[in-house]
Amino acid sequence: MSASSLPPSQTLVSRKVSKTLISRSSLLGIGDLSSGIWNGNLLPCNARRNRRCRRIRVIRNASGDQSVQTAIPAVAVSSSSSLDSSSIASNIQFHAEFTPSFSPKDFGLPKAYQATSLSVRDSLIKNLNETYEHYEKINGKEACYLSMEFLQGRALLNAVGNLELTGAYAEALKQLGHDLESVAEQEPDAALGNGGLGRLASCFLDSLASLDYPAWGYGLRYKYGLFHQRMTKDGQEEVAESWLEMGNPWEIVRYDVTYPVKFYGKVVEGLDGRKRWVGGEDIDAVAYDVPIPGYKTKTTLGLRLWSTKVPAEDFDLQAFNAGDHSKAIEGQTNAEKICYVLYPGDESVEGKILRLKQQYTLCSASLQDIIARFERRSGDVVNWEEFPSKVAVQMNDTHPTLTVAYTNHTVLPEALEKWSLEIMQKLLPRHVEIIERIDEELIGKLVTEYGTEDIELLEKKISEMRILENSPFPASVAPLFIKPEVKEEKAEETAISADGEAKSTENKIMNEELTEGNGPEVQNLESSEIKATTDEPKQNEKEEKAKVPEIQLPKTVRMANLCVVAGHAVNGVAEIHSDIVKNEVFNDFYKLWPEKFQNKTNGVTPRRWMRFCNPGLSGIITKWLGTEDWILNTEKLAELRQFSENEELHAEWISAKRSNKLKLVSFIKEKTGYVVSPDAMFDIQVKRIHEYKRQLLNILGIVYRYKKMKEMSSEERNAEFVPRVCILGGKAFATYVQAKRIVKLVNDVGAVINHDPDIGDLLKVIFVPNYNVSVAELLIPASELSQHISTAGMEASGTSNMKFAMNGCVLIGTLDGANVEIREEVGEENFFLFGAQAHEIAGLRKERAEGKFEPDPRFEEAKEFILSGAFGKYDYSSLLGSLEGNVGYGRGDYFLVGKDFPSYIECQQEVDAAYRDQKRWTKMSIMNTAGSYKFSSDRTIHEYARDIWGIHPAHLS
């Protein structure tokens, strides 16, 4: 949906989006507020600085000088379909000799990887140039996808696969003494993301390219990523990622595509009445482009990553020569650290400022790039009325907040970002002025909507919905909320109830605040003391009141509210999640603008997550369907249902799964030292470590299972339990203490169980360190059971559940996120369901708070076994204490582990029974693959393109 075609009812926001889009001065940051909230200093123009204003130029030859390119053998100047292994080998040798990163005589695996990647990149650059030259000619509408994360994984095998050159490159490398798989393993994962947010963004770019949609991706080029996870005896250890240490052969630096980004400074008003943002700290954002090839198409899109720096003149040579080296490089350090780390710790003020700088850098540089491209395509006459018909901008969550379309990815309070108003005023002073105006117009809209008859209701709605939390009302509406003066004696009298108890909410809050260690302890007064106080002289009363400190709630900017108010579309990422967004998280906004809200269930690319990571199973599917069309048209996977009981297919299916399991056995041995049996069930839970994802429930279930085994004879346990390898993986955020305790517990439990001779291969527990895309590409094809066990109503969607199902893995899970839709598609009988449902959660928490919860004895037994020291000397009372009590921060089992534990272990018994019947299990596996057809990111992208972006495929001949 373009801004110009929005319904008239969206009076506050969507009709004004067009004002944002049509005003060049507002977009470049030299506007004023005279014509509405949308004219503003959003992006500092270089015209206000001494440095020249740099704009993107038409990319005629992204690979460099034409004379150089013509000297490159075959690959760079031929279509991929005409390439043979000899010409590819020649091109690889060319890069090994003339674009070297290693010693001349060396052609080991690292150098072979670099040369091979550069050879592939030649083809990608040629296609990238032709793609965007085609877009320049047709001048159609394009989508711009902004995300703080792009978790791509390795590029080599994906690129040659999409170019249909896997066989040719394999043969070429064989001629040169290497094999393609070994060469590909030299590539580090690009450290540009962490979890599902980044993997989804990368899937979307793959689908956009494969479906020929005109688009750009925008992100940041993180030097050290989130972190590299190491496991020690003390648990998780974080070290910097080293993915750029030997360069990145896939990126193309664009020194001519550089934009200024401003922080701090002040806002001044000129003689013309226009406001300008001047002074402060200036940095440059430099573009690095990564080509994203489509599958069986020449369309190759660009992922533009911004790196930050300052020019050489900002190096203080005088300070350096005077010996003040830190001062000399201060500007460069401040600029470069913006792109050092993904999600830097924000416990400190400095950390908060750095995060805000990251988000603003992405927004500012990307918008300047988008605007420059629009201006260039417009030629001599730029008509800003056409901007909404040429550009659609999508935000992947609130991290980069803009006035465009917004995808919500969470219902968790900590992920619905709020920024300190004080920090934002210092860092982005002009933006705060604009946000204040948006907030004021929103309040005006709410006054019109709710009227002034019920002032208390109006005040409540404004407090809940406004963007600026805990800020004074703007002058335009403040008189509405002035309460009439009440005589002091009357006010004092109403502060005391009939039974003599103090009822002042303010006093109650003050007591709670002060007794929690924020000041001197204040006890509640007895009625006699209150009576005595009221009899004191008024002067004493005033003195006492003056001594009571005023409570100041923090003033914040609610970024999610800003996204909803200022955006023209808001979508959730699964049906249940979108319902929660509409009915709970943003219910008041939904009532105000129901037409803004949509659902776009996530999807994953079947190329990387099926065709390339699981070639054995993919070949079987192609054989039985009689076509490879399912790779671009996953609806064809549903046809597998007709073969779900075919014994020949069963035999082939089991063989492919075992082959993948054997690869994983080798990987586990290499990374952990543990030897596991391929005959056991591979039970996997891999995702970001978080209490709501309930890895703690999983490990408690494993502990209970192990305890029961130890209480049985060998014969009994072999009859009762199916052999399992329980595999967990994921990163805990560096400052998330409870998550890191969970990681340590998993490792401690594994260390005991894996060395227990009584148990042997009946149960193994493996924690896979440094889980990333490449590890997932090994784990997922080998999986047989996958756990998606978050507290119902707390997972937005999930995408790993889709990848597991697509690869024939059976899921155990709650009715949360996309699990609901997956279960519908694969069939209830092919999904192991347990646990409370989303609509029950609030009531269950209320019961817990009232002390009505009775824990299951089996739950208590598992906790006590851990606390007994069975898994080492570490004190897990702080971790398990979160499951105790009824209320309180970090208490009361907020994520309902105890409530769902009985249902969970009983469901696991059903899993054991089903796995014993391999014919039944194999049918369930086939039905999961068949039912996964809906969860392709191709389907999701078609829906975004149709319903939100208004873009169409632009086929490249």
Side-chain angles (χ1 to χ4, degrees):
M1 183 189 297
S2 68
S4 58
S5 63
L6 296 167
S9 59
Q10 292 177 252
T11 54
L12 173 67
V13 178
S14 302
R15 294 163 87 187
K16 296 206 174 184
V17 166
S18 61
K19 292 185 181 179
T20 310
L21 301 177
I22 65 175
S23 170
R24 180 179 186 274
S25 62
S26 74
L27 286 164
L28 293 179
I30 55 175
D32 58 26
L33 293 174
S34 60
S35 61
I37 64 176
W38 306 102
N39 286 338
N41 190 342
L42 290 173
L43 301 168
C45 182
N46 261 359
R48 296 192 297 278
R49 298 163 54 187
N50 292 328
R51 279 183 260 162
R52 67 186 184 280
C53 191
R54 283 155 289 188
R55 290 293 184 219
I56 185 172
R57 299 181 178 89
V58 177
I59 305 172
R60 295 303 179 196
N61 182 4
S63 61
D65 184 66
Q66 182 64 35
S67 62
V68 174
Q69 180 164 342
T70 55
I72 298 175
V75 172
V77 294
S78 301
S79 65
S80 60
S81 59
S82 65
L83 296 176
D84 57 40
S85 60
S86 296
S87 62
I88 289 173
S90 176
N91 185 257
I92 292 173
Q93 287 177 309
F94 172 87
H95 282 293
E97 183 174 357
F98 293 107
T99 54
S101 300
F102 300 87
S103 300
K105 293 183 180 179
D106 172 53
F107 193 66
L109 285 171
K111 185 172 183 177
Y113 161 69
Q114 288 279 343
T116 302
S117 299
L118 291 168
S119 170
V120 177
R121 195 186 72 163
D122 290 341
S123 293
L124 297 184
I125 289 175
K126 179 178 183 293
N127 290 345
L128 181 72
N129 289 340
E130 292 183 9
T131 297
Y132 286 109
E133 285 176 359
H134 178 59
Y135 295 164
E136 293 280 334
K137 291 175 183 177
I138 64 174
N139 195 20
K141 188 173 185 179
E142 66 181 16
C144 299
Y145 195 83
L146 275 68
S147 177
M148 291 294 286
E149 297 185 41
F150 286 92
L151 203 56
Q152 298 170 276
R154 293 170 174 163
L156 178 55
L157 292 181
N158 192 77
V160 296
N162 277 358
L163 291 169
E164 299 181 89
L165 292 173
T166 301
Y169 267 90
E171 178 59 31
L173 284 167
K174 186 177 180 181
Q175 295 173 22
L176 298 174
H178 291 295
D179 67 86
L180 177 58
E181 188 172 332
S182 297
V183 169
E185 287 176 358
Q186 301 303 303
E187 181 178 1
D189 276 37
L192 299 172
N194 174 38
L197 199 74
R199 287 190 290 273
L200 178 74
S202 294
C203 285
F204 279 4
L205 289 186
D206 178 89
S207 287
L208 283 163
S210 297
L211 301 174
D212 297 309
Y213 282 111
W216 278 93
Y218 285 100
L220 296 181
R221 182 179 179 265
Y222 303 106
K223 186 174 182 179
Y224 301 117
L226 182 72
F227 59 81
H228 182 95
Q229 182 190 54
R230 290 179 180 168
M231 302 314 304
T232 71
K233 62 181 179 62
D234 298 317
Q236 173 182 290
E237 179 183 71
E238 305 88 24
V239 296
E241 287 275 13
S242 58
W243 75 290
L244 288 175
E245 281 194 353
M246 294 205 310
N248 178 12
W250 301 103
E251 65 186 14
I252 310 155
V253 61
R254 308 292 199 193
Y255 293 116
D256 59 329
V257 185
T258 302
Y259 297 102
V261 180
K262 179 183 286 296
F263 305 108
Y264 302 110
K266 62 182 179 180
V267 179
V268 298
E269 188 170 340
L271 296 176
D272 58 359
R274 303 176 77 85
K275 291 190 175 183
R276 291 172 173 83
W277 182 13
V278 299
E281 173 187 322
D282 298 311
I283 67 165
D284 285 339
V286 183
Y288 285 72
D289 288 352
V290 179
I292 308 295
Y295 178 71
K296 290 189 175 183
T297 175
K298 289 188 71 175
T299 298
T300 301
L301 300 181
L303 169 57
R304 180 153 285 177
L305 303 172
W306 301 108
S307 186
T308 45
K309 69 179 187 67
V310 292
E313 66 236 39
D314 283 15
F315 177 77
D316 193 336
L317 191 59
Q318 288 72 31
F320 190 85
N321 288 331
D324 194 348
H325 300 156
S326 296
K327 180 183 178 184
I329 62 171
E330 184 178 9
Q332 190 67 33
T333 301
N334 285 337
E336 288 181 353
K337 71 181 181 182
I338 291 172
C339 291
Y340 273 171
V341 175
L342 169 65
Y343 302 141
D346 60 355
E347 298 296 314
S348 64
V349 173
E350 292 78 8
K352 290 179 172 66
I353 290 172
L354 186 57
R355 279 211 188 188
L356 188 54
K357 279 186 172 183
Q358 285 185 332
Q359 296 186 18
Y360 178 64
T361 297
L362 173 58
C363 288
S364 176
S366 302
L367 275 182
Q368 290 182 78
D369 193 49
I370 292 165
I371 293 164
R373 190 159 54 249
F374 172 74
E375 289 180 320
R376 186 186 67 248
R377 290 184 180 181
S378 297
D380 296 333
V381 179
V382 179
N383 181 1
W384 290 99
E385 295 282 352
E386 294 181 353
F387 193 89
S389 65
K390 298 296 183 182
V391 176
V393 182
Q394 183 75 36
M395 296 181 303
N396 193 22
D397 216 345
T398 59
H399 301 307
T401 297
L402 300 168
T403 56
V404 283
Y406 161 48
T407 298
N408 174 272
H409 279 277
T410 185
V411 298
L412 295 177
E414 66 265 28
L416 293 174
E417 285 189 322
K418 296 180 182 180
W419 282 106
S420 162
L421 180 60
E422 181 182 8
I423 289 176
M424 190 173 282
Q425 282 174 324
K426 290 178 181 178
L427 198 68
L428 305 171
R430 178 59 177 146
H431 295 72
V432 169
E433 289 186 349
I434 297 167
I435 291 170
E436 287 173 342
R437 188 64 182 271
I438 297 172
D439 184 64
E440 182 175 357
E441 292 211 10
L442 170 64
I443 291 172
K445 169 72 174 176
L446 297 177
V447 170
T448 301
E449 183 73 17
Y450 291 99
T452 57
E453 292 183 4
D454 189 338
I455 289 295
E456 288 186 2
L457 174 64
L458 177 62
E459 187 172 7
K460 178 176 180 291
K461 292 297 181 184
I462 291 174
S463 297
E464 291 172 348
M465 298 175 68
R466 69 178 302 190
I467 297 160
L468 299 176
E469 184 180 33
N470 301 321
S471 289
F473 289 113
S476 59
V477 297
L480 293 173
F481 303 101
I482 296 176
K483 294 179 172 57
E485 291 187 9
V486 181
K487 290 185 179 180
E488 195 171 3
E489 293 81 2
K490 182 66 176 176
E492 292 162 3
E493 187 177 306
T494 57
I496 312 301
S497 68
D499 59 2
E501 292 183 349
K503 292 296 182 181
S504 166
T505 303
E506 184 178 35
N507 285 343
K508 181 179 179 184
I509 295 173
M510 178 59 63
N511 275 334
E512 291 173 353
E513 289 287 322
L514 295 177
T515 55
E516 288 176 0
N518 296 326
E521 186 174 2
V522 178
Q523 301 293 335
N524 287 326
L525 301 177
E526 297 294 336
S527 59
S528 59
E529 294 175 310
I530 296 173
K531 179 63 177 174
T533 301
T534 58
D535 291 336
E536 290 289 325
K538 283 186 180 180
Q539 183 61 34
N540 289 346
E541 282 185 30
K542 291 178 180 178
E543 290 175 0
E544 287 299 316
K545 289 178 181 178
K547 293 178 184 177
V548 179
E550 183 181 354
I551 299 173
Q552 292 289 342
L553 296 175
K555 296 178 181 178
T556 65
V557 182
R558 294 164 164 160
M559 305 304 279
N561 287 24
L562 178 60
C563 288
V564 174
V565 172
H568 73 83
V570 180
N571 70 276
V573 290
E575 288 177 1
I576 185 174
H577 171 241
S578 295
D579 288 342
I580 292 171
V581 165
K582 291 188 293 187
N583 299 325
E584 297 178 26
V585 181
F586 297 126
N587 181 247
D588 288 326
F589 291 109
Y590 174 64
K591 291 176 180 176
L592 199 61
W593 297 300
E595 64 280 2
K596 280 191 184 188
F597 289 80
Q598 303 184 27
N599 174 61
K600 296 288 174 280
T601 298
N602 282 343
V604 300
T605 168
R607 271 77 62 184
R608 178 179 290 273
W609 293 110
M610 187 74 171
R611 174 64 183 86
F612 301 142
C613 77
N614 200 346
L617 189 62
S618 296
I620 292 169
I621 292 170
T622 297
K623 171 189 170 183
W624 283 83
L625 296 182
T627 178
E628 273 197 338
D629 289 352
W630 62 269
I631 301 171
L632 281 169
N633 181 14
T634 53
E635 285 81 2
K636 286 190 171 295
L637 289 174
E639 296 175 18
L640 286 171
R641 289 169 176 158
Q642 63 185 305
F643 309 116
S644 64
E645 296 185 1
N646 186 287
E647 292 184 2
E648 183 182 348
L649 175 57
H650 277 217
E652 294 176 7
W653 201 269
I654 292 170
S655 176
K657 182 66 72 174
R658 184 171 181 82
S659 176
N660 291 327
K661 290 173 72 175
L662 288 170
K663 291 179 184 177
L664 184 53
V665 168
S666 298
F667 175 81
I668 290 171
K669 177 69 164 59
E670 176 190 347
K671 296 298 182 182
T672 71
Y674 291 125
V675 177
V676 300
S677 170
D679 296 322
M681 178 203 299
F682 280 20
D683 171 355
I684 300 178
Q685 185 185 21
V686 282
K687 51 187 74 233
R688 177 168 53 96
I689 309 297
H690 198 292
E691 288 169 281
Y692 90 84
K693 293 180 182 289
R694 299 203 296 190
Q695 287 92 349
L696 184 54
L697 174 61
N698 186 351
I699 196 64
L700 282 168
I702 292 170
V703 166
Y704 181 78
R705 186 182 186 90
Y706 174 62
K707 186 174 185 297
K708 294 295 106 180
M709 286 181 177
K710 293 292 287 182
E711 293 170 356
M712 296 177 180
S713 67
S714 176
E715 292 76 14
E716 288 172 331
R717 69 174 71 105
N718 286 325
E720 179 73 17
F721 297 104
V722 165
R724 283 203 201 197
V725 179
C726 299
I727 302 170
L728 293 92
K731 294 180 179 180
F733 192 69
T735 58
Y736 191 174
V737 176
Q738 287 291 68
K740 294 178 79 169
R741 287 172 177 154
I742 292 170
V743 172
K744 177 163 176 56
L745 177 58
V746 173
N747 280 277
D748 285 350
V749 169
V752 171
I753 294 177
N754 298 345
H755 292 98
D756 190 329
D758 293 338
I759 302 303
D761 288 337
L762 197 56
L763 182 62
K764 298 290 185 185
V765 180
I766 306 296
F767 187 89
V768 178
N770 203 47
Y771 176 67
N772 58 22
V773 171
S774 295
V775 175
E777 288 171 345
L778 277 171
L779 290 172
I780 292 173
S783 63
E784 294 174 287
L785 179 75
S786 182
Q787 304 208 30
H788 303 273
I789 57 178
S790 52
T791 311
M794 303 204 73
E795 184 73 83
S797 170
T799 51
S800 66
N801 47 6
M802 302 171 183
K803 296 164 192 168
F804 279 103
M806 195 173 280
N807 282 271
C809 181
V810 184
L811 308 188
I812 178 173
T814 54
L815 284 179
D816 194 27
N819 284 0
V820 178
E821 292 161 77
I822 291 173
R823 182 169 176 261
E824 289 173 355
E825 297 298 334
V826 305
E828 295 179 5
E829 68 279 10
N830 301 308
F831 185 105
F832 293 102
L833 178 67
F834 76 95
Q837 297 186 31
H839 68 273
E840 301 173 310
I841 301 300
L844 291 170
R845 286 180 179 145
K846 183 173 182 291
E847 287 181 9
R848 181 70 181 242
E850 294 170 350
K852 296 178 180 178
F853 173 69
E854 291 290 337
D856 188 279
R858 295 167 292 184
F859 180 58
E860 297 298 295
E861 192 177 344
K863 290 188 297 178
E864 289 168 7
F865 193 42
I866 294 171
L867 294 173
S868 71
F871 303 102
K873 297 180 180 179
Y874 185 85
D875 184 4
Y876 283 104
S877 58
S878 295
L879 173 62
L880 299 180
S882 67
L883 308 176
E884 307 298 335
N886 296 320
V887 291
Y889 179 77
R891 303 277 291 176
D893 193 9
Y894 184 78
F895 301 102
L896 303 180
V897 175
K899 173 64 181 177
D900 281 351
F901 185 80
S903 175
Y904 175 70
I905 60 173
E906 288 161 10
C907 192
Q908 288 284 17
Q909 292 171 355
E910 296 175 19
V911 171
D912 278 6
Y915 193 77
R916 285 192 184 94
D917 184 349
Q918 278 294 294
K919 183 176 180 181
R920 175 190 172 193
W921 189 272
T922 304
K923 179 182 177 181
M924 293 174 73
S925 174
I926 294 168
M927 293 298 286
N928 268 268
T929 298
S932 70
Y933 70 91
K934 174 182 175 180
F935 304 102
S936 166
S937 51
D938 295 352
R939 184 263 314 153
T940 314
I941 286 299
H942 279 312
E943 292 178 0
Y944 273 104
R946 181 190 66 221
D947 301 336
I948 296 180
W949 303 335
I951 62 173
H952 303 282
H955 299 286
L956 186 63
S957 60

PDB file of all heavy atoms in Angstrom, residues 277-289:
ATOM      1  N   TRP A 277      19.885  22.186  12.051  1.00  0.00           N
ATOM      2  CA  TRP A 277      20.652  21.429  13.065  1.00  0.00           C
ATOM      3  C   TRP A 277      22.130  21.682  12.776  1.00  0.00           C
ATOM      4  O   TRP A 277      22.642  21.295  11.716  1.00  0.00           O
ATOM      5  CB  TRP A 277      20.293  19.950  12.937  1.00  0.00           C
ATOM      6  CG  TRP A 277      20.940  19.023  13.911  1.00  0.00           C
ATOM      7  CD1 TRP A 277      21.615  19.329  15.043  1.00  0.00           C
ATOM      8  CD2 TRP A 277      20.934  17.601  13.824  1.00  0.00           C
ATOM      9  NE1 TRP A 277      22.049  18.197  15.681  1.00  0.00           N
ATOM     10  CE2 TRP A 277      21.646  17.124  14.957  1.00  0.00           C
ATOM     11  CE3 TRP A 277      20.420  16.689  12.912  1.00  0.00           C
ATOM     12  CZ2 TRP A 277      21.842  15.754  15.174  1.00  0.00           C
ATOM     13  CZ3 TRP A 277      20.613  15.335  13.137  1.00  0.00           C
ATOM     14  CH2 TRP A 277      21.310  14.870  14.261  1.00  0.00           C
ATOM     15  N   VAL A 278      22.825  22.313  13.707  1.00  0.00           N
ATOM     16  CA  VAL A 278      24.205  22.722  13.453  1.00  0.00           C
ATOM     17  C   VAL A 278      25.107  22.233  14.575  1.00  0.00           C
ATOM     18  O   VAL A 278      24.664  21.845  15.658  1.00  0.00           O
ATOM     19  CB  VAL A 278      24.307  24.262  13.335  1.00  0.00           C
ATOM     20  CG1 VAL A 278      23.468  24.782  12.178  1.00  0.00           C
ATOM     21  CG2 VAL A 278      23.896  24.936  14.639  1.00  0.00           C
ATOM     22  N   GLY A 279      26.424  22.276  14.288  1.00  0.00           N
ATOM     23  CA  GLY A 279      27.413  21.907  15.296  1.00  0.00           C
ATOM     24  C   GLY A 279      27.435  20.416  15.563  1.00  0.00           C
ATOM     25  O   GLY A 279      26.989  19.600  14.756  1.00  0.00           O
ATOM     26  N   GLY A 280      27.996  20.048  16.687  1.00  0.00           N
ATOM     27  CA  GLY A 280      27.975  18.659  17.104  1.00  0.00           C
ATOM     28  C   GLY A 280      29.087  17.817  16.499  1.00  0.00           C
ATOM     29  O   GLY A 280      30.123  18.310  16.069  1.00  0.00           O
ATOM     30  N   GLU A 281      28.823  16.521  16.443  1.00  0.00           N
ATOM     31  CA  GLU A 281      29.791  15.522  16.002  1.00  0.00           C
ATOM     32  C   GLU A 281      29.360  14.974  14.649  1.00  0.00           C
ATOM     33  O   GLU A 281      28.227  14.527  14.492  1.00  0.00           O
ATOM     34  CB  GLU A 281      29.856  14.404  17.047  1.00  0.00           C
ATOM     35  CG  GLU A 281      30.700  13.202  16.676  1.00  0.00           C
ATOM     36  CD  GLU A 281      30.566  12.086  17.700  1.00  0.00           C
ATOM     37  OE1 GLU A 281      30.490  12.367  18.921  1.00  0.00           O
ATOM     38  OE2 GLU A 281      30.504  10.906  17.287  1.00  0.00           O
ATOM     39  N   ASP A 282      30.278  15.008  13.681  1.00  0.00           N
ATOM     40  CA  ASP A 282      29.972  14.543  12.328  1.00  0.00           C
ATOM     41  C   ASP A 282      30.816  13.320  11.985  1.00  0.00           C
ATOM     42  O   ASP A 282      32.026  13.300  12.246  1.00  0.00           O
ATOM     43  CB  ASP A 282      30.244  15.641  11.301  1.00  0.00           C
ATOM     44  CG  ASP A 282      29.377  16.857  11.522  1.00  0.00           C
ATOM     45  OD1 ASP A 282      28.169  16.680  11.675  1.00  0.00           O
ATOM     46  OD2 ASP A 282      29.916  17.988  11.554  1.00  0.00           O
ATOM     47  N   ILE A 283      30.191  12.314  11.393  1.00  0.00           N
ATOM     48  CA  ILE A 283      30.904  11.138  10.907  1.00  0.00           C
ATOM     49  C   ILE A 283      30.461  10.857   9.477  1.00  0.00           C
ATOM     50  O   ILE A 283      29.507  11.458   8.975  1.00  0.00           O
ATOM     51  CB  ILE A 283      30.636   9.895  11.787  1.00  0.00           C
ATOM     52  CG1 ILE A 283      29.172   9.468  11.656  1.00  0.00           C
ATOM     53  CG2 ILE A 283      31.012  10.147  13.237  1.00  0.00           C
ATOM     54  CD1 ILE A 283      28.891   8.080  12.181  1.00  0.00           C
ATOM     55  N   ASP A 284      31.155   9.939   8.820  1.00  0.00           N
ATOM     56  CA  ASP A 284      30.772   9.504   7.478  1.00  0.00           C
ATOM     57  C   ASP A 284      30.354   8.034   7.515  1.00  0.00           C
ATOM     58  O   ASP A 284      30.988   7.221   8.191  1.00  0.00           O
ATOM     59  CB  ASP A 284      31.938   9.649   6.503  1.00  0.00           C
ATOM     60  CG  ASP A 284      32.188  11.090   6.113  1.00  0.00           C
ATOM     61  OD1 ASP A 284      31.264  11.907   6.266  1.00  0.00           O
ATOM     62  OD2 ASP A 284      33.318  11.409   5.680  1.00  0.00           O
ATOM     63  N   ALA A 285      29.302   7.707   6.777  1.00  0.00           N
ATOM     64  CA  ALA A 285      28.877   6.320   6.581  1.00  0.00           C
ATOM     65  C   ALA A 285      29.262   5.914   5.167  1.00  0.00           C
ATOM     66  O   ALA A 285      28.838   6.542   4.192  1.00  0.00           O
ATOM     67  CB  ALA A 285      27.375   6.178   6.784  1.00  0.00           C
ATOM     68  N   VAL A 286      30.093   4.877   5.046  1.00  0.00           N
ATOM     69  CA  VAL A 286      30.607   4.410   3.764  1.00  0.00           C
ATOM     70  C   VAL A 286      29.923   3.098   3.401  1.00  0.00           C
ATOM     71  O   VAL A 286      29.786   2.205   4.251  1.00  0.00           O
ATOM     72  CB  VAL A 286      32.134   4.202   3.826  1.00  0.00           C
ATOM     73  CG1 VAL A 286      32.672   3.774   2.464  1.00  0.00           C
ATOM     74  CG2 VAL A 286      32.824   5.466   4.307  1.00  0.00           C
ATOM     75  N   ALA A 287      29.519   2.962   2.148  1.00  0.00           N
ATOM     76  CA  ALA A 287      28.757   1.788   1.709  1.00  0.00           C
ATOM     77  C   ALA A 287      29.680   0.637   1.324  1.00  0.00           C
ATOM     78  O   ALA A 287      30.676   0.827   0.629  1.00  0.00           O
ATOM     79  CB  ALA A 287      27.876   2.152   0.527  1.00  0.00           C
ATOM     80  N   TYR A 288      29.312  -0.553   1.787  1.00  0.00           N
ATOM     81  CA  TYR A 288      29.911  -1.813   1.349  1.00  0.00           C
ATOM     82  C   TYR A 288      28.775  -2.676   0.821  1.00  0.00           C
ATOM     83  O   TYR A 288      27.842  -3.001   1.558  1.00  0.00           O
ATOM     84  CB  TYR A 288      30.590  -2.541   2.516  1.00  0.00           C
ATOM     85  CG  TYR A 288      31.901  -1.950   2.952  1.00  0.00           C
ATOM     86  CD1 TYR A 288      31.963  -0.741   3.640  1.00  0.00           C
ATOM     87  CD2 TYR A 288      33.106  -2.600   2.696  1.00  0.00           C
ATOM     88  CE1 TYR A 288      33.169  -0.199   4.046  1.00  0.00           C
ATOM     89  CE2 TYR A 288      34.321  -2.075   3.100  1.00  0.00           C
ATOM     90  CZ  TYR A 288      34.352  -0.867   3.777  1.00  0.00           C
ATOM     91  OH  TYR A 288      35.549  -0.344   4.178  1.00  0.00           O
ATOM     92  N   ASP A 289      28.826  -3.035  -0.453  1.00  0.00           N
ATOM     93  CA  ASP A 289      27.744  -3.790  -1.082  1.00  0.00           C
ATOM     94  C   ASP A 289      28.079  -5.282  -1.142  1.00  0.00           C
ATOM     95  O   ASP A 289      29.181  -5.673  -1.538  1.00  0.00           O
ATOM     96  CB  ASP A 289      27.482  -3.289  -2.496  1.00  0.00           C
ATOM     97  CG  ASP A 289      26.807  -1.929  -2.509  1.00  0.00           C
ATOM     98  OD1 ASP A 289      26.419  -1.454  -1.422  1.00  0.00           O
ATOM     99  OD2 ASP A 289      26.681  -1.336  -3.591  1.00  0.00           O
TER     100      ASP A 289
END
